[in-house]
Amino acid sequence: MAEQKRYRFATEVVTVDNPDDPHNAASVPIYQSATFKQKSATAGGEYDYSRSGNPTRTHLENHLAKVMGAKRALAVTSGMGALDVITRLVRAGEEIIAGDDLYGGTNRLLSFLNKSQNIKTHHIDTTRADAILPYLDPVKTRLVLLETPTNPLIKIADIPTIAQYVHDKCPNALVVVDNTMMSPYLQRPLEMGADISYHSGTKYLSGHHDLMAGVIGTRSDDVGDQLYYVINATGCGLGPFDSWLLLRGIKTLAVRMDKQQASAIRVCDFLERHGFKVHYPGSRKHPQYELHKRIASGPGAVLSFETGDVGISERIVEAAKLWSISVSFGCVNSLISMPCRMSHASIPAHIRAERALPEDLIRLCIGIEDVEDLLDDLRDALQAAGAIDVKA
Ligand SMILES: *Cc1c(COP(=O)(O)O)cnc(C)c1O
């Protein structure tokens, strides 16, 4: 087959190849079928059973591989399902090295592996690349799990430098990046030395909070084959309807993210002008502004800020009208939350304090509404809560 011309991201993401469709359907059909018939007792076709493979899922996976720059992409039933599949490559007694400000569900799965299978995780401060060096063990280290930016503290990890350290010292270890926050539009871990990049497809890839999915991309066919084996063995491949929804959602990733990010920059600016401490990699005051700029092509659309008072934060969240009180992010609608009361409440208070996770922190996930409406609503909520002067 002739080499296909490569376009820029926003073009590639909306262009889904469907060359084999017998009716030239413009949208990939939903093959809502568990089984596929064979021509004879011995001649099997490309598909036989949807746990092992389904044409709608294959189209999605081929498209994802293209937009992620992956050798192979795999779609499963949730972001946590994706991490579950990846961690099944680790054997009892081997070790994982991960950040200290991880997604809550990731912490839960790693604790489970520690208790049930003697797979130990070392948590390190990934804002300093060399913090990993003392923990790298050529025999034991199997996975290095990075999240950047972290959530909700927006800490940045130097993916290329850490990947280099790991591959130099531990040839058997895999560098895995949870790229959910940035999406493949803004950050491309596989091009910076990561072996695996995965996403909660529930967030920016789908964009509408109407499905759950997980997406894994690999830099080599070999790792892709090992992960596919786990997916087929455990039965967590994404179903045809959700595959179709995700394929539809991802087409607008670039246009959504451009809009959401432009508005997030305005919101950050607004909050900083009112004197709030904002955590956002697009802020020049962010301690790792330069590093983030080097590894990603934009700051994204999730930020958090401190008010100095838990009561004020609660009143702000409850006074906002346009911003829904909700966990998660990546939706076309704007969301507001208090991580310590909501998404991160399962982390014990003393550990939240250890990690310097401020109890008054408010997280904002900016959607595609008109930014002037978002700013007006936020200003009203801040005023109603007594967080800013009415005259300001
Ligand atoms: C949401 C999320 C996950 C988990 O994904 P689910 O689809 O909810 O299972 C993992 N990592 C990050 C960074 C997330 O935001």
Side-chain angles (χ1 to χ4, degrees):
M1 205 173 76
E3 186 70 15
Q4 281 232 304
K5 177 170 163 52
R6 281 273 165 262
Y7 296 97
R8 291 168 185 81
F9 190 92
T11 310
E12 290 285 356
V13 81
V14 77
T15 312
V16 177
D17 304 320
N18 187 17
D20 303 327
D21 187 277
H23 309 292
N24 292 320
S27 160
V28 169
I30 307 168
Y31 286 88
Q32 193 67 39
S33 184
T35 50
F36 298 83
K37 294 183 216 170
Q38 297 188 190
K39 290 221 159 57
S40 73
T42 49
E46 191 180 349
Y47 298 98
D48 57 4
Y49 195 55
S50 278
R51 168 158 45 70
S52 310
N54 176 285
T56 313
R57 184 158 83 232
T58 302
H59 275 291
L60 168 67
E61 291 177 339
N62 290 343
H63 188 58
L64 285 166
K66 184 179 79 165
V67 303
M68 294 169 84
K71 208 55 190 250
R72 176 134 187 214
L74 299 156
V76 297
T77 49
S78 71
M80 290 322 304
L83 185 61
D84 177 44
V85 167
I86 295 163
T87 54
R88 287 187 194 235
L89 301 181
V90 188
R91 295 204 178 93
E94 291 182 330
E95 295 181 350
I96 298 173
I97 303 173
D100 60 1
D101 183 34
L102 296 172
Y103 177 72
T106 302
N107 265 325
R108 187 187 297 126
L109 180 56
L110 294 176
S111 311
F112 174 75
L113 290 173
N114 187 21
K115 281 189 218 116
S116 66
Q117 289 175 57
N118 187 30
I119 293 169
K120 187 178 165 66
T121 296
H122 299 285
H123 291 277
I124 61 158
D125 176 2
T126 46
T127 58
R128 295 191 301 113
D130 54 9
I132 200 170
L133 294 173
Y135 298 98
L136 288 174
D137 181 319
V139 179
K140 285 189 180 163
T141 306
R142 180 66 173 128
L143 293 186
V144 172
L145 181 57
L146 303 174
E147 230 180 277
T148 181
T150 63
N151 157 34
L153 285 179
I154 320 290
K155 297 207 257 178
I156 313 297
D158 184 343
I159 300 172
T161 304
I162 294 175
Q164 185 76 51
Y165 286 151
V166 175
H167 291 139
D168 283 353
K169 200 159 169 199
C170 306
N172 298 322
L174 297 171
V175 175
V176 180
V177 176
D178 179 339
N179 200 34
T180 303
M181 183 79 101
M182 286 286 102
S183 88
Y185 181 38
L186 298 180
Q187 184 166 271
R188 308 182 63 77
L190 299 173
E191 290 163 15
M192 292 188 278
D195 302 287
I196 299 175
S197 166
Y198 74 98
H199 296 88
S200 166
T202 316
K203 316 287 168 59
Y204 285 111
L205 296 183
S206 70
H208 296 74
H209 280 182
D210 52 9
L211 73 97
M212 301 215 55
V215 164
I216 308 170
T218 68
R219 199 154 52 96
S220 77
D221 281 324
D222 175 45
V223 173
D225 289 347
Q226 292 176 48
L227 296 173
Y228 169 75
Y229 183 90
V230 176
I231 292 168
N232 188 32
T234 60
C236 61
L238 193 63
F241 184 62
D242 285 340
S243 294
W244 181 83
L245 269 181
L246 182 52
L247 189 57
R248 184 169 80 152
I250 198 176
K251 291 179 190 177
T252 53
L253 173 63
V255 70
R256 279 186 279 113
M257 189 57 108
D258 281 342
K259 168 85 177 165
Q260 288 171 270
Q261 176 171 272
S263 298
I265 291 167
R266 293 274 309 273
V267 172
C268 171
D269 194 45
F270 166 82
L271 289 168
E272 285 189 334
R273 272 191 284 111
H274 281 92
F276 294 101
K277 178 169 183 192
V278 181
H279 303 266
Y280 183 54
S283 163
R284 288 196 170 270
K285 293 186 185 146
H286 191 287
Q288 296 177 290
Y289 175 82
E290 291 298 333
L291 171 60
H292 183 78
K293 222 174 144 187
R294 210 160 57 236
I295 63 173
S297 57
V302 177
L303 58 82
S304 59
F305 69 102
E306 298 174 31
T307 67
D309 183 289
V310 178
I312 288 180
S313 293
E314 279 174 10
R315 291 204 295 278
I316 293 168
V317 168
E318 280 163 16
K321 295 193 179 76
L322 204 46
W323 304 74
S324 318
I325 306 175
S326 170
V327 295
S328 198
F329 59 84
C331 184
V332 287
N333 299 105
S334 291
L335 311 175
I336 189 166
S337 68
M338 280 184 77
C340 290
R341 296 277 177 280
M342 298 168 60
S343 50
H344 293 63
S346 63
I347 304 172
H350 70 278
I351 296 185
R352 293 203 299 261
E354 232 170 71
R355 293 201 196 142
L357 192 63
E359 296 288 316
D360 61 315
L361 198 71
I362 294 179
R363 192 181 75 180
L364 297 176
C365 309
I366 288 84
I368 65 168
E369 302 91 341
D370 190 296
V371 68
E372 300 303 339
D373 288 330
L374 290 174
L375 290 172
D376 285 348
D377 194 61
L378 188 57
R379 187 183 298 108
D380 289 348
L382 291 168
Q383 281 176 358
I388 56 172
D389 200 312
V390 185
K391 297 185 294 294

